[in-house]
Amino acid sequence: MNLTLRLAHLYPEHMNVYGDRGNVIALRQRCQRRGIALEIVPVNPGDTIDWQTVDLAFFGGGQDSGQALITGDLIERQGPGLRAAIEADLVVLAICGGYQLLGHYFLTHTGERLPGLGVLDVHTIAGKQRMIGNIVIEVHLGAEPWQLVGFENHSGRTFHGPGVKSLGRVLVGYGDNGQDRKGGVIYRNTFGCYLHGALLPKNPQLTDHLIELALRRRYGSQYVLPPLPAERELAAQRAMVQRLLTR
């Protein structure tokens, strides 16, 4: 059986900081090693895309200025189709600025209120202190809990509403707002968080989880992703978690 997935990379020229493009590379590589064809479609301002044909979407982080440039296009051009696809369980990974723009709004340092897509029940308010450093989040996405590792660098403080559940509990670092130890959110098959670095190369478990969700959505809920070795990635992940938890 020839397996094919289609990934939409939202605004790659405007929303690509701190190595976020590496997430797309990790998805492509772990698909390729299993013989799964991954078509990557960049979505830039002014582009038209049929969201019903998309299996995965990635929305990276960007500066406030970059977010301001693409907000109108996101809401007016892509909004209806993307929102409907998310409600139909499109698999989405959104990091930092992309995560913020899927929420209700982002209130910037200058007091400008940038509207978001409103598909995630979160809102973001810029703070005076930047929250920078390595981060570890304990997540429960399988039979056993495990730790995501990444690097956060944000001044926005994101607060969760009742319409989302937390991706995980922050063990090291600030998390979404530096107050409640919540790190990221999950809504249907959409995952949003502040973990840069890039996230997926450091966390092959999450990479495979996203791929499997996308394949099940396209080919049926009984699909099981074949295992793939990741000894080096997991050894690096364990070493980082141990160092951060014991420092």
Side-chain angles (χ1 to χ4, degrees):
M1 182 178 182
N2 295 323
L3 302 177
T4 301
L5 293 174
R6 195 168 194 235
L7 181 147
H9 188 175
L10 284 154
Y11 310 109
E13 300 305 318
H14 296 83
M15 305 294 285
N16 178 41
V17 294
Y18 310 125
D20 283 347
R21 193 183 299 271
N23 293 303
V24 175
I25 296 172
L27 287 165
R28 183 183 64 199
Q29 290 296 323
R30 290 189 72 78
C31 280
Q32 187 178 64
R33 290 171 64 188
R34 291 183 170 97
I36 301 166
L38 181 66
E39 179 189 2
I40 299 170
V41 181
V43 181
N44 294 302
D47 287 350
T48 299
I49 184 169
D50 181 359
W51 284 100
Q52 294 184 14
T53 69
V54 176
D55 305 294
L56 286 153
F58 175 68
F59 199 178
Q63 303 295 336
D64 290 359
S65 57
Q67 291 179 236
L69 288 171
I70 58 94
T71 297
D73 188 87
L74 171 68
I75 295 173
E76 296 168 16
R77 182 178 295 272
Q78 305 302 341
L82 177 55
R83 190 181 294 108
I86 288 174
E87 295 297 340
D89 292 330
L90 173 69
V91 180
V92 180
L93 176 62
I95 307 293
C96 199
Y99 170 30
Q100 294 169 353
L101 287 177
L102 292 185
H104 296 302
Y105 65 87
F106 173 41
L107 189 64
T108 71
H109 290 95
T110 62
E112 181 182 8
R113 184 182 173 114
L114 296 178
L117 195 59
V119 72
L120 296 181
D121 187 14
V122 302
H123 69 275
T124 303
I125 300 173
K128 295 181 179 179
Q129 176 194 2
R130 291 203 71 82
M131 295 183 280
I132 304 175
N134 292 308
I135 179 171
V136 179
I137 298 175
E138 183 174 79
V139 299
H140 297 260
L141 295 176
E144 300 291 335
W146 44 278
Q147 289 79 41
L148 285 176
V149 296
F151 179 82
E152 59 182 338
N153 185 350
H154 57 105
S155 60
R157 285 152 170 76
T158 297
F159 298 91
H160 302 184
V164 294
K165 67 177 182 179
S166 294
L167 173 60
R169 180 173 64 93
V170 176
L171 303 180
V172 176
Y174 296 94
D176 278 17
N177 53 55
Q179 299 175 22
D180 56 20
R181 312 306 293 172
K182 293 179 179 179
V185 301
I186 302 174
Y187 173 69
R188 303 186 74 92
N189 281 343
T190 294
F191 299 77
C193 66
Y194 279 104
L195 278 70
H196 293 289
L199 171 64
L200 295 185
K202 293 182 176 181
N203 299 280
Q205 308 101 311
L206 181 59
T207 313
D208 288 352
H209 183 66
L210 298 176
I211 295 170
E212 186 170 65
L213 286 174
L215 288 167
R216 287 181 174 181
R217 181 173 180 262
R218 170 170 276 209
Y219 294 104
S221 61
Q222 300 306 310
Y223 182 85
V224 177
L225 190 69
L228 188 68
E231 289 86 358
R232 291 183 179 180
E233 297 95 326
L234 292 173
Q237 183 191 73
R238 287 192 298 268
M240 177 63 76
V241 169
Q242 183 177 16
R243 181 172 69 85
L244 292 173
L245 291 180
T246 59
R247 66 180 180 180

Coordinates of all heavy atoms in Angstrom, one line a residue, residues 31-84:
C31 N 8.8 10.2 8.0 CA 7.9 9.6 7.0 C 8.7 8.9 5.9 O 8.4 7.7 5.5 CB 7.0 10.7 6.3 SG 5.6 11.2 7.3
Q32 N 9.7 9.5 5.4 CA 10.5 9.0 4.3 C 11.1 7.6 4.7 O 11.2 6.7 3.9 CB 11.6 10.0 3.9 CG 12.4 9.6 2.7 CD 13.4 10.7 2.4 OE1 14.3 10.9 3.1 NE2 13.2 11.3 1.2
R33 N 11.6 7.5 5.9 CA 12.3 6.3 6.4 C 11.3 5.1 6.5 O 11.7 4.0 6.5 CB 13.0 6.5 7.7 CG 14.2 7.4 7.6 CD 14.7 7.8 8.9 NE 15.2 6.7 9.7 CZ 15.6 6.7 11.0 NH1 15.6 7.9 11.6 NH2 16.0 5.6 11.6
R34 N 10.0 5.4 6.5 CA 9.0 4.4 6.5 C 8.3 4.2 5.1 O 7.4 3.4 5.0 CB 7.9 4.8 7.5 CG 8.3 4.7 9.0 CD 7.1 5.1 9.8 NE 7.3 4.9 11.2 CZ 7.7 5.8 12.1 NH1 7.8 7.1 11.7 NH2 7.9 5.5 13.4
G35 N 8.8 4.9 4.1 CA 8.3 4.8 2.8 C 7.0 5.5 2.6 O 6.2 5.2 1.7
I36 N 6.7 6.5 3.5 CA 5.5 7.3 3.4 C 5.9 8.6 2.6 O 6.8 9.3 3.0 CB 5.0 7.7 4.8 CG1 4.6 6.4 5.6 CG2 3.7 8.6 4.6 CD1 4.4 6.7 7.0
A37 N 5.2 8.9 1.5 CA 5.4 10.1 0.8 C 4.8 11.3 1.5 O 3.6 11.3 1.7 CB 4.9 10.0 -0.6
L38 N 5.6 12.3 1.8 CA 5.0 13.6 2.4 C 5.2 14.7 1.4 O 6.3 15.2 1.2 CB 5.8 13.8 3.7 CG 5.3 15.1 4.5 CD1 3.8 14.9 5.0 CD2 6.2 15.4 5.7
E39 N 4.1 15.2 0.9 CA 4.1 16.4 0.1 C 4.0 17.6 1.0 O 3.1 17.8 1.8 CB 2.9 16.4 -0.9 CG 2.9 17.6 -1.8 CD 1.6 17.7 -2.6 OE1 0.7 16.8 -2.5 OE2 1.4 18.6 -3.4
I40 N 5.0 18.6 0.8 CA 5.0 19.8 1.6 C 4.5 21.0 0.7 O 5.2 21.2 -0.3 CB 6.4 20.0 2.2 CG1 6.8 18.8 3.1 CG2 6.4 21.3 3.0 CD1 8.2 18.9 3.5
V41 N 3.5 21.7 1.2 CA 2.9 22.8 0.4 C 3.1 24.0 1.2 O 2.4 24.2 2.3 CB 1.4 22.5 0.1 CG1 0.9 23.7 -0.7 CG2 1.2 21.2 -0.6
P42 N 4.0 25.0 0.8 CA 4.1 26.3 1.5 C 2.8 27.1 1.3 O 2.3 27.1 0.2 CB 5.3 26.9 0.9 CG 5.4 26.3 -0.4 CD 4.9 24.9 -0.3
V43 N 2.3 27.7 2.3 CA 1.1 28.6 2.2 C 1.6 30.0 2.6 O 1.9 30.3 3.7 CB 0.0 28.1 3.2 CG1 -1.2 29.0 3.0 CG2 -0.4 26.7 2.9
N44 N 1.7 30.9 1.6 CA 2.1 32.2 1.7 C 0.9 33.2 1.6 O -0.1 32.8 1.1 CB 3.2 32.6 0.7 CG 4.5 31.8 0.9 OD1 5.1 31.8 2.0 ND2 4.9 31.0 -0.1
P45 N 1.1 34.4 2.0 CA 0.0 35.4 1.9 C -0.5 35.5 0.4 O 0.3 35.5 -0.5 CB 0.6 36.7 2.3 CG 1.7 36.3 3.3 CD 2.2 35.0 2.7
G46 N -1.8 35.4 0.2 CA -2.4 35.4 -1.1 C -2.6 34.1 -1.7 O -3.3 34.0 -2.8
D47 N -2.0 33.0 -1.2 CA -2.2 31.7 -1.7 C -3.6 31.1 -1.4 O -4.2 31.5 -0.4 CB -1.2 30.7 -1.2 CG 0.2 31.0 -1.7 OD1 0.4 31.8 -2.6 OD2 1.2 30.4 -1.2
T48 N -4.0 30.3 -2.3 CA -5.3 29.5 -2.2 C -5.0 28.1 -2.0 O -4.2 27.5 -2.7 CB -6.2 29.7 -3.4 OG1 -6.5 31.1 -3.5 CG2 -7.5 29.0 -3.2
I49 N -5.6 27.4 -1.0 CA -5.4 26.0 -0.7 C -6.7 25.4 -0.4 O -7.5 26.0 0.3 CB -4.3 25.8 0.4 CG1 -4.0 24.3 0.6 CG2 -4.7 26.4 1.7 CD1 -2.8 24.1 1.5
D50 N -6.9 24.2 -0.8 CA -8.0 23.4 -0.5 C -7.7 22.6 0.8 O -7.0 21.6 0.7 CB -8.4 22.4 -1.6 CG -9.6 21.6 -1.3 OD1 -10.2 21.7 -0.2 OD2 -10.0 20.8 -2.2
W51 N -8.2 23.1 1.9 CA -7.8 22.5 3.2 C -8.4 21.1 3.4 O -7.9 20.3 4.2 CB -8.3 23.4 4.3 CG -7.4 24.5 4.5 CD1 -7.6 25.8 4.1 CD2 -6.1 24.5 5.1 NE1 -6.5 26.6 4.4 CE2 -5.6 25.9 5.0 CE3 -5.3 23.6 5.7 CZ2 -4.3 26.2 5.5 CZ3 -4.0 23.9 6.2 CH2 -3.6 25.2 6.1
Q52 N -9.4 20.7 2.6 CA -9.9 19.3 2.6 C -8.9 18.3 2.1 O -9.0 17.1 2.4 CB -11.2 19.2 1.8 CG -12.3 20.0 2.4 CD -13.6 19.8 1.7 OE1 -13.8 18.9 0.9 NE2 -14.6 20.7 2.0
T53 N -7.9 18.8 1.4 CA -6.8 17.9 0.8 C -5.6 17.8 1.7 O -4.7 17.1 1.4 CB -6.4 18.3 -0.6 OG1 -5.7 19.6 -0.5 CG2 -7.6 18.5 -1.5
V54 N -5.6 18.4 2.8 CA -4.4 18.5 3.7 C -4.6 17.6 4.9 O -5.7 17.5 5.5 CB -4.2 20.0 4.2 CG1 -3.1 20.1 5.2 CG2 -4.0 20.9 3.0
D55 N -3.5 16.9 5.2 CA -3.5 15.9 6.4 C -2.8 16.5 7.6 O -3.2 16.1 8.7 CB -2.8 14.6 5.9 CG -3.4 14.0 4.7 OD1 -4.6 13.6 4.8 OD2 -2.7 14.0 3.6
L56 N -1.8 17.3 7.4 CA -1.0 17.9 8.4 C -0.8 19.4 8.2 O -0.7 19.8 7.0 CB 0.4 17.2 8.5 CG 0.5 15.8 9.1 CD1 1.8 15.2 8.5 CD2 0.7 15.9 10.6
A57 N -0.6 20.2 9.2 CA -0.3 21.6 9.0 C 0.7 22.0 10.1 O 0.6 21.5 11.3 CB -1.5 22.5 9.1
F58 N 1.7 22.8 9.7 CA 2.7 23.3 10.7 C 2.6 24.8 10.6 O 2.7 25.4 9.5 CB 4.1 22.8 10.4 CG 5.1 23.5 11.3 CD1 5.1 23.2 12.7 CD2 6.0 24.4 10.8 CE1 6.0 23.8 13.5 CE2 6.9 25.0 11.7 CZ 6.9 24.7 13.0
F59 N 2.6 25.5 11.8 CA 2.5 26.9 11.9 C 3.6 27.3 12.9 O 3.4 27.1 14.1 CB 1.1 27.3 12.4 CG 0.8 28.8 12.1 CD1 -0.5 29.2 12.5 CD2 1.6 29.7 11.6 CE1 -0.9 30.5 12.3 CE2 1.2 31.0 11.4 CZ 0.0 31.4 11.7
G60 N 4.7 27.9 12.4 CA 5.8 28.2 13.3 C 5.7 29.6 14.0 O 4.7 30.3 13.9
G61 N 6.8 29.9 14.7 CA 6.8 31.2 15.5 C 7.4 32.3 14.6 O 8.1 32.1 13.6
G62 N 7.1 33.5 15.1 CA 7.6 34.7 14.4 C 7.7 35.9 15.3 O 7.1 35.9 16.4
Q63 N 8.3 36.9 14.9 CA 8.3 38.2 15.6 C 6.9 38.8 15.5 O 6.1 38.5 14.7 CB 9.3 39.1 15.0 CG 10.8 38.6 15.0 CD 11.4 38.4 16.3 OE1 10.9 39.0 17.3 NE2 12.3 37.5 16.4
D64 N 6.7 39.8 16.5 CA 5.4 40.5 16.4 C 5.1 41.1 15.1 O 4.0 41.1 14.6 CB 5.3 41.5 17.5 CG 5.3 41.0 18.9 OD1 5.3 39.7 19.1 OD2 5.3 41.7 19.9
S65 N 6.2 41.6 14.5 CA 6.0 42.3 13.2 C 5.6 41.3 12.1 O 4.7 41.6 11.2 CB 7.3 43.0 12.7 OG 8.4 42.1 12.7
G66 N 6.1 40.1 12.2 CA 5.8 39.0 11.2 C 4.3 38.6 11.4 O 3.6 38.3 10.4
Q67 N 3.9 38.5 12.7 CA 2.6 38.1 12.9 C 1.6 39.1 12.4 O 0.5 38.8 11.8 CB 2.3 37.9 14.4 CG 3.1 36.7 15.0 CD 2.9 36.6 16.5 OE1 3.8 36.6 17.3 NE2 1.6 36.5 16.9
A68 N 1.9 40.4 12.6 CA 1.0 41.5 12.1 C 0.8 41.4 10.6 O -0.2 41.7 10.1 CB 1.6 42.8 12.5
L69 N 1.9 41.0 9.9 CA 1.8 41.0 8.4 C 0.9 39.9 7.9 O 0.4 40.0 6.8 CB 3.3 40.8 7.8 CG 4.2 42.0 7.9 CD1 5.6 41.6 7.5 CD2 3.7 43.2 7.1
I70 N 0.8 38.8 8.6 CA 0.1 37.7 8.1 C -1.3 37.5 8.7 O -2.1 36.6 8.3 CB 0.9 36.4 8.1 CG1 1.3 36.0 9.6 CG2 2.1 36.5 7.2 CD1 0.4 35.1 10.3
T71 N -1.6 38.2 9.8 CA -2.9 38.0 10.5 C -4.1 38.2 9.6 O -5.0 37.3 9.7 CB -3.0 39.0 11.7 OG1 -1.9 38.7 12.6 CG2 -4.3 38.9 12.4
G72 N -4.1 39.2 8.8 CA -5.3 39.5 7.9 C -5.5 38.3 7.0 O -6.6 37.9 6.8
D73 N -4.4 37.9 6.4 CA -4.5 36.8 5.4 C -5.0 35.5 6.1 O -5.8 34.7 5.6 CB -3.1 36.5 4.7 CG -3.2 35.5 3.6 OD1 -3.5 35.9 2.5 OD2 -3.0 34.3 3.8
L74 N -4.4 35.2 7.3 CA -4.8 34.0 8.0 C -6.3 34.0 8.3 O -7.0 33.0 8.1 CB -4.0 34.0 9.4 CG -4.5 32.9 10.3 CD1 -4.1 31.5 9.8 CD2 -3.8 33.1 11.7
I75 N -6.8 35.1 8.8 CA -8.2 35.1 9.2 C -9.2 35.2 8.0 O -10.2 34.5 7.9 CB -8.5 36.3 10.1 CG1 -7.7 36.1 11.4 CG2 -10.0 36.5 10.4 CD1 -7.7 37.3 12.4
E76 N -8.8 36.1 7.0 CA -9.8 36.3 5.9 C -9.7 35.3 4.8 O -10.7 34.8 4.3 CB -9.5 37.7 5.3 CG -9.8 38.8 6.3 CD -9.3 40.2 5.9 OE1 -9.0 40.3 4.7 OE2 -9.2 41.1 6.7
R77 N -8.4 34.9 4.4 CA -8.3 34.0 3.3 C -8.3 32.5 3.7 O -9.0 31.7 3.2 CB -7.0 34.3 2.5 CG -6.8 33.4 1.3 CD -5.5 33.8 0.5 NE -5.7 35.2 0.0 CZ -6.2 35.4 -1.2 NH1 -6.6 34.4 -2.0 NH2 -6.3 36.7 -1.7
Q78 N -7.4 32.2 4.7 CA -7.3 30.8 5.1 C -8.3 30.4 6.2 O -8.6 29.3 6.4 CB -5.9 30.6 5.6 CG -4.8 30.9 4.7 CD -4.9 30.2 3.3 OE1 -5.6 29.2 3.2 NE2 -4.3 30.7 2.3
G79 N -8.8 31.4 7.0 CA -9.6 31.1 8.2 C -10.7 30.2 8.0 O -10.8 29.1 8.7
P80 N -11.7 30.4 7.1 CA -12.8 29.5 7.0 C -12.4 28.0 6.8 O -12.9 27.1 7.4 CB -13.7 30.1 5.9 CG -13.3 31.6 5.9 CD -11.8 31.6 6.3
G81 N -11.6 27.8 5.8 CA -11.2 26.5 5.4 C -10.3 25.8 6.5 O -10.5 24.6 6.8
L82 N -9.4 26.6 7.1 CA -8.5 26.0 8.1 C -9.3 25.7 9.4 O -9.2 24.6 10.0 CB -7.4 27.0 8.4 CG -6.4 26.6 9.6 CD1 -5.8 25.2 9.3 CD2 -5.4 27.6 9.7
R83 N -10.2 26.6 9.7 CA -11.1 26.3 10.9 C -11.9 25.1 10.7 O -12.0 24.2 11.6 CB -11.9 27.5 11.2 CG -12.7 27.5 12.5 CD -13.5 28.7 12.7 NE -12.8 29.9 12.9 CZ -12.7 30.9 11.9 NH1 -13.4 30.8 10.8 NH2 -12.0 32.0 12.2
A84 N -12.5 24.9 9.6 CA -13.3 23.8 9.3 C -12.5 22.5 9.3 O -12.9 21.4 9.8 CB -14.0 23.9 7.9

